[in-house]
Each structure stands twice: as C-alpha cells, then as structure tokens.
Amino acid sequence: MVEVRDPLVEARRQLRRAIDLLGHPDYVYEVLAEPERVIQVKVPVRMDDGSVKVFMGWRSQHNSALGPYKGGVRYHPSVTMNEVIALSMWMTWKNSLAGLPYGGGKGGVRVNPKVLTPRQLEELSRRYFEAISDFVGIDQDIPAPDVYTDPQVMAWYFDEYSRIKRGYYTGVVTGKPPELGGLQARVVATGYGVAVAVREAAKKLLGGIEGKTVAVQGFGNVGYYTAKYLSEMGARVVAVSDSRGGIYSSKGLDPDEVLSVKRREGSVIHYPGAEKKMSPMDVLELDVDVLVPAAIEGVITEENAPRIKAKLVAEGANGPTTTEAEKILTERGVVVLPDILVNAGGVIMSHIEWVNNRMGGWITDEEALKKLEYKMTDNVSRVLGYWQKKLDTSKHPLRDAAYMIAVDRVVKAMKLRGLL
Ligand code: NAD
C-alpha cells in the first residue's frame, strides 16, 4: 500500500517540536496548530461546449500576528484543504524567520491547469479571486504565484480586485509583471537567495565558497539561478540534473551553456561537455562540498542519507529532506540549511515589491537584489549564531534553530497583542 503523507500532520509535528524545545505550554501549540481562517470557495468555469465545470478552491490564513497573511496560490489536481493549511503554516514560519512584517497564508485550486484553454484559465483565476476578494487586500492578505500560477495569473487577480474595489490596488498581489508594478528581479530571487545563503554559510563552516564544488539537483528556476550565481561567486558547479538525468564535469559546468542546451534539446543530459551522465538521484551522492536539492520534496531519505558526501546541504526545494534523513545527516556532521531559511528569497523579493507598490515607487532591480542580499546574509548569520550558541549542534539540526526563532517571534508578537 502506498503511504500517503498528510502534510498537515508533518507541519504540526514540526510545530510541536519547536514548542517543546522553547518550553512553551501546551496551549500555545493548540493555538498555533490551527489556522485563523480557511475560506473554501466554489470556482465555476464555462467550458467550450457550453457546460459549466466546478473546481474547489481554498485560501488558508494561518496567522496574522506579525502582519497581513502572505503566501502563494497553487493550481494543481491534487490540492487538498489540509495541504493548503500546512503550506500556510510553513509560510508563517518562513516569513517570521526572514524578519518580514507578514503572517502566513496560502491558496490552492484543485485543477489541472494544463487542460484548460487560456480563456478558461483566465475565468478560473478571476472567479477564484472574486470569491476570496472580501478576505484579501493590501493590509489583509497578499497572494503571490506558486505551482502553476505565474505573473499573468497575478495580473488577472490584480485586475479583478481593482474592478471590484474600484481603485488601482497593485499591492494586493506580488509576483506581477513589471508593467503592473512587479519586479523583473523576482525571477532570479529564490535562486539568488539560495546562492547568497550558501556563500554565507560556507564562509562560516567551510572556510569560504571560492573553489568549493557544488552539485545541484533540479535545473529549473531555483536550480539554474542557484548554479549561475554560485559560479559567479567562485564555486565550481560540477554536476546538475533534471527529471531526465544528471551530468558531471570535474572542471565545472557553465550554467548558461547548460541552460541553452536544455532549452534547445529538452534536458541537461544532452550537454556535450559532460564527462559522465547519471540518474537524477545519483547526483545527490556525489563527492562534493555543497549539495543543493532544488527539484522536489522527499528526495533525501534514511535510505540514501548515509551515502551523502556533501558537507553542506542547501534546501532550494521545499521539504527535500525527510526527518529521519536529517537525523542521520546531523549525526554525521552534515549541515542542512533548511528550506524556510534558504529559499525565502522569493518572498523577501515579494516584500520589496509590495513596499515599492505602496509607496508608488520605482526601485531598480539592482537595488532590490542588494536588499535581498543584505537580508539573506543577516538571516543566515542570525540562525547559525543561535544554533551554535543555544543548541548542541551534534544533536540538533539547524532546522531546530530556525523553527525556534520563527515560532518564538510569532509567540512574542501574540503575547504583546494579548492574543496568548
Ligand atoms: P521548476 O519547475 O522551474 O524546476 C524544477 C526542476 O526540477 C526541473 O528542472 C525538473 O526537470 C526537475 N526535476 C523534477 N523532478 C526531478 C527529479 N526527480 N530529479 C531531478 N530533477 C527533477 O520549479 P522551481 O520553481 O525551480 O521549484 C523547485 C523547488 O523549489 C520546488 O520544491 C518549489 O516549491 C521550491 N521553491 C521555489 C520557489 C520559486 O520562487 N520558484 C520558491 C521557494 C521554493
């Protein structure tokens, strides 16, 4: 029988651990284990044969102690309410850890967007946003792109909201096209953030990033930009992979050349300059200094964790390391930079976009990337400092420090507001 993991069970387990480590009473867990509000909506779309098809959608607003709810909307055929709630809880911790003035939210529509025509996708997007429009807003809840939603979908959300509310409310969503107040730098933000986080951690744990070898699993948005910026920072990216396979070159790969081959021929495996080809999973076990899983969740398990040779693992993807695997890695002295810390570049850039929209400003991409670099550098240093000062690093993964900082900030804000 295939085990189906309920992400909400996992999210609550992580919260429980943080609450216990912080020594907070049980009721604090009870309060934070539930979202403040979940909106369930029906999203009807007229199909091309004249019939109407109904899709289910949700927006989960987990916590607003630190600011308006913030988090993406995903369109996927397997979306469930529990998944959306779990993702909104993770956004609360990610935003809190990053030091942003945001709470946590997440949305989802159970639909396969690939089978919709552009007109149907627009109708679905507009109807979903109309249905939640009383609960979102610049100071209430600010959605953004996630799986299978993009700047065009954000443009429809913004337009629908602005028509309903009769104004020009660019700040109601982030990740918009540049013509509507978005930032071009959003595209590179997550990968750039991962690269900065790796560089900063390497300074403290590996004696610097220059000349260090790197393997990246997943050569999509996050993986490509992580590889590109790490190369520019002086690292040697020796291996990358996508869903079809991986490539290795001891001299180092040029991420731009690999990308042009992937664009032209569909996969990195067609890159002619590779010394070796391998399966997508083999890339994880290469003898490198830094490993960046940037594809999908659950790839580092208790089965392959004993064979991971990297000294530093940076979770570009969400949830690539299972709890059991992380225990093994920690015992072996491998440091895992957790997802809520290292892949927060996207939401940090979203915050910069939102602030710029609110001010009616014109920030440049260069300035925005500088701000992101500053924030990520500070965040990595804070989390590493807390971990080394407050915890036994041979027993506790860095994730424990990250969760303790994130949860405690929310708890303190709730106490100050009289909510706890
Ligand atoms: P993407 O679709 O652009 O890229 C995913 C890449 O992974 C593709 O190259 C695909 O071929 C590859 N892949 C899929 N299965 C694989 C496998 N088994 N082995 C090796 N490669 C495989 O997606 P993305 O936006 O880069 O997101 C990647 C991960 O990062 C996801 O977990 C996502 O949730 C997370 N993330 C993304 C952002 C963002 O801003 N894009 C922000 C935070 C977290």
Side-chain angles (χ1 to χ4, degrees), residues 14-24 386 390-392 396-397 399-404 408:
Q14 291 167 341
L15 171 64
R16 174 90 259 173
R17 186 172 164 86
I19 295 284
D20 291 347
L21 283 168
L22 288 162
H24 288 311
Y386 185 100
K390 304 237 170 158
L391 295 170
D392 176 349
H396 289 277
R399 196 182 314 274
D400 280 349
Y403 265 81
M404 288 168 77
D408 208 41

Side-chain angles (χ1 to χ4, degrees), residues 186 190 217-222 241-243 280 294-296 316-318 343:
R186 174 66 184 84
T190 303
Q217 187 198 41
F219 204 63
N221 174 273
V222 179
S241 70
D242 58 28
S243 55
I296 49 170
N318 284 319
N343 73 26

Side-chain angles (χ1 to χ4, degrees), residues 182-221:
L183 292 170
Q184 203 81 56
R186 174 66 184 84
V187 180
V188 311
T190 303
Y192 181 64
V194 175
V196 170
V198 168
R199 182 190 69 196
E200 294 307 307
K203 271 187 205 162
K204 297 199 162 71
L205 303 170
L206 306 177
I209 192 66
E210 292 79 16
K212 297 293 180 305
T213 51
V214 179
V216 180
Q217 187 198 41
F219 204 63
N221 174 273

Side-chain angles (χ1 to χ4, degrees), residues 323-374:
T323 311
E324 299 78 17
E326 188 164 53
K327 198 160 174 282
I328 297 168
L329 294 175
T330 304
E331 281 162 9
R332 294 183 48 229
V334 180
V335 178
V336 180
L337 300 173
D339 46 9
I340 62 165
L341 172 65
V342 297
N343 73 26
V347 71
I348 294 171
M349 189 57 77
S350 273
H351 178 254
I352 297 168
E353 176 182 337
W354 177 76
V355 169
N356 191 49
N357 293 155
R358 301 192 65 143
M359 297 195 310
W362 41 269
I363 193 168
T364 64
D365 286 323
E366 207 184 349
E367 285 171 290
L369 286 170
K370 265 255 149 321
K371 276 175 175 282
L372 167 56
E373 181 183 17
Y374 169 81

Side-chain angles (χ1 to χ4, degrees), residues 45-53 115-121 123:
V45 176
R46 187 165 301 280
M47 306 316 274
D48 287 353
D49 65 1
S51 67
V52 173
K53 213 170 169 152
V115 303
L116 297 183
T117 64
R119 184 201 58 77
Q120 290 161 354
L121 187 66
E123 193 174 322

Side-chain angles (χ1 to χ4, degrees), residues 55-281:
F55 301 93
M56 293 312 296
W58 296 271
R59 182 77 186 166
S60 171
Q61 300 179 328
H62 174 255
N63 190 280
S64 58
L66 294 167
Y69 310 102
K70 181 88 188 92
V73 179
R74 62 175 51 178
Y75 292 170
H76 198 275
S78 69
V79 166
T80 63
M81 188 171 76
N82 273 9
E83 178 190 349
V84 175
I85 295 172
L87 290 164
S88 71
M89 196 190 294
W90 281 318
M91 285 310 299
T92 299
W93 313 139
K94 189 180 284 195
N95 294 337
S96 171
L97 182 67
L100 299 174
Y102 283 147
K106 199 84 180 191
V109 180
R110 193 189 295 151
V111 60
N112 179 4
K114 289 182 183 167
V115 303
L116 297 183
T117 64
R119 184 201 58 77
Q120 290 161 354
L121 187 66
E122 177 174 352
E123 193 174 322
L124 177 100
S125 301
R126 288 185 182 278
R127 296 300 293 267
Y128 170 69
F129 217 68
E130 180 193 14
I132 63 168
S133 61
D134 281 341
F135 304 96
V136 294
I138 293 168
D139 290 311
Q140 286 160 276
D141 185 354
I142 308 128
D146 193 64
V147 178
Y148 294 139
T149 55
D150 60 10
Q152 174 61 75
V153 171
M154 296 308 114
W156 290 324
Y157 285 172
F158 149 69
D159 181 69
E160 192 63 25
Y161 187 83
S162 293
R163 288 200 307 180
I164 294 167
K165 304 288 178 187
R166 294 183 174 275
Y168 196 91
Y169 297 105
T170 46
V172 70
V173 285
T174 58
K176 299 176 295 292
E179 293 77 7
L180 298 173
L183 292 170
Q184 203 81 56
R186 174 66 184 84
V187 180
V188 311
T190 303
Y192 181 64
V194 175
V196 170
V198 168
R199 182 190 69 196
E200 294 307 307
K203 271 187 205 162
K204 297 199 162 71
L205 303 170
L206 306 177
I209 192 66
E210 292 79 16
K212 297 293 180 305
T213 51
V214 179
V216 180
Q217 187 198 41
F219 204 63
N221 174 273
V222 179
Y224 162 66
Y225 284 110
T226 301
K228 178 182 166 67
Y229 287 111
L230 278 175
S231 293
E232 287 178 12
M233 290 168 187
R236 191 150 42 98
V237 177
V238 293
V240 298
S241 70
D242 58 28
S243 55
R244 310 237 327 250
I247 51 171
Y248 175 87
S249 163
S250 57
K251 294 194 299 292
L253 299 158
D254 178 336
D256 286 328
E257 282 177 16
V258 178
L259 182 69
S260 62
V261 171
K262 181 172 166 71
R263 284 210 174 122
R264 212 171 45 236
E265 301 186 40
S267 170
V268 299
I269 55 171
H270 301 298
Y271 182 66
E275 283 163 31
K276 264 193 291 190
K277 289 185 187 173
M278 58 193 76
S279 83
M281 291 302 281

